[in-house]
Amino acid sequence: MGVRRIVVIVLAVALASSTLALAAWKIADLVGGEGSGEAVKEGAAPGDSIRPENGGAGEAGEEALAANSGEVEAAGYPTGESFSQDTPTMRYVTETQRHQNFFIALAEGRIKRLDAIATDYQPPGDPNSSYLYFTVTTTEGTKHNGTMVLKYEGGLWRIAAVRQLTGELGGGTNYVVPASFEDDLARELVELQEFLTKVAQGRLDYMVVDSVSRPSDTETILTGRVVGIGGRIEQAQMTLRKDYNIWHLTNIEGVGG
């Protein structure tokens, strides 16, 4: 076999190998997505963060996600259940945002009744917590089961989260707010202690909203009854305000015992 023929054969083989490698790379790119490198989890909702199961390779993705989150915060847009202000210095803001949709439903007068089903007060190994299991009934007659998580710190009970509510009552927001709003929520927490202590200790039976008044787009006053485990009925008035696009409970009057 001549030298020229051998050279031609070698060049043809090399060209075919390069073509196959290029085709394989394009197929892998199409299957894996446009550089995502992550598999979509079954049942993931639009906008859910999808992260690799293992660390290491996901570090670059984490940095990119953090950068994008910073851009969203700067724009002041809500981003669902991603809580960028989850830090000790903005704890009250973060926790209020976690159950924001529950407060929105209250402020819009869509919640008619809340029934306490059971309370796990200071469970073993978690003495600074209380878990209220409840059912909410809306004005349309639909029912939603949920769990209210209360935390005790610095002599004060607070609502840390409202979990497992479905539909329009679930979820939250993370609007960016000034640090002074944390101080506002801290002052309100002191005013709410009588009511929150009653809830945390399992002395609440149910609450009923009899009337809803909205003096403005940023204030709602709920008038109703709070019934204790012993059957004591208290006429009560609950006031909610909206600041920085966040509804928060400012005070509850007429709740004692």
Side-chain angles (χ1 to χ4, degrees), residues 24 31 44 52 54 65 75 121 139 144 158 166 207 214 216 223 230 232 237 241 245 255:
V31 171
N54 300 318
L65 182 63
Y121 176 62
T139 53
H144 303 263
R158 69 182 191 274
T166 57
M207 299 171 55
R214 304 196 68 185
S216 69
T223 302
R232 180 177 177 179
Q237 182 172 283
R241 281 190 52 82
N245 287 317
V255 178

Side-chain angles (χ1 to χ4, degrees), residues 188-225:
E188 292 172 358
L189 193 61
V190 175
E191 298 293 326
L192 293 168
Q193 277 313 289
E194 188 174 11
F195 174 72
L196 292 179
T197 300
K198 183 174 184 175
V199 173
Q201 293 178 350
R203 292 188 282 126
L204 174 68
D205 188 4
Y206 65 91
M207 299 171 55
V208 177
V209 177
D210 294 320
S211 64
V212 180
S213 173
R214 304 196 68 185
S216 69
D217 291 339
T218 59
E219 185 179 14
T220 298
I221 300 173
L222 305 177
T223 302
R225 292 156 287 152

Side-chain angles (χ1 to χ4, degrees), residues 169-186:
L169 299 184
T173 61
N174 75 332
Y175 288 97
V176 178
V177 302
S180 60
F181 190 44
E182 179 79 3
D183 298 330
D184 295 337
L185 294 178

Side-chain angles (χ1 to χ4, degrees), residues 29-30 37 97 104 114 120 124 127 164 176 190 193 195 197 207 210 234 243-244 246 257:
D29 186 56
L30 288 172
Q97 290 173 331
I104 290 173
L114 184 150
D120 193 1
Q164 299 174 345
V176 178
V190 175
Q193 277 313 289
F195 174 72
T197 300
M207 299 171 55
D210 294 320
E234 285 279 337
D243 294 294
Y244 313 106
I246 297 174

Side-chain angles (χ1 to χ4, degrees), residues 110 112-115 117 134-146 164-167 169:
R110 292 190 283 118
K112 179 64 178 177
R113 178 170 172 142
L114 184 150
D115 286 272
I117 306 303
F134 65 91
T135 298
V136 162
T137 304
T138 68
T139 53
E140 296 179 349
T142 60
K143 294 183 181 295
H144 303 263
N145 295 325
Q164 299 174 345
L165 284 170
T166 57
L169 299 184

Side-chain angles (χ1 to χ4, degrees), residues 24-129:
W25 177 82
K26 293 300 289 182
I27 291 172
D29 186 56
L30 288 172
V31 171
E34 296 181 358
S36 66
E38 298 174 350
V40 177
K41 296 180 180 179
E42 183 178 356
D48 284 353
S49 296
I50 302 169
R51 302 169 185 263
E53 293 296 330
N54 300 318
E59 292 179 0
E62 294 282 354
E63 294 175 0
L65 182 63
N68 291 337
S69 177
E71 293 174 2
V72 171
E73 289 176 14
Y77 294 139
T79 56
E81 296 189 29
S82 172
F83 305 101
S84 58
Q85 295 186 114
D86 194 3
T87 66
T89 58
M90 297 290 277
R91 177 174 295 145
Y92 299 149
V93 171
T94 298
E95 292 176 348
T96 302
Q97 290 173 331
R98 281 179 178 161
H99 46 269
Q100 187 58 196
N101 286 1
F102 176 71
F103 275 4
I104 290 173
L106 275 174
E108 292 180 348
R110 292 190 283 118
I111 292 181
K112 179 64 178 177
R113 178 170 172 142
L114 184 150
D115 286 272
I117 306 303
T119 304
D120 193 1
Y121 176 62
Q122 296 181 326
D126 193 9
N128 295 322
S129 299

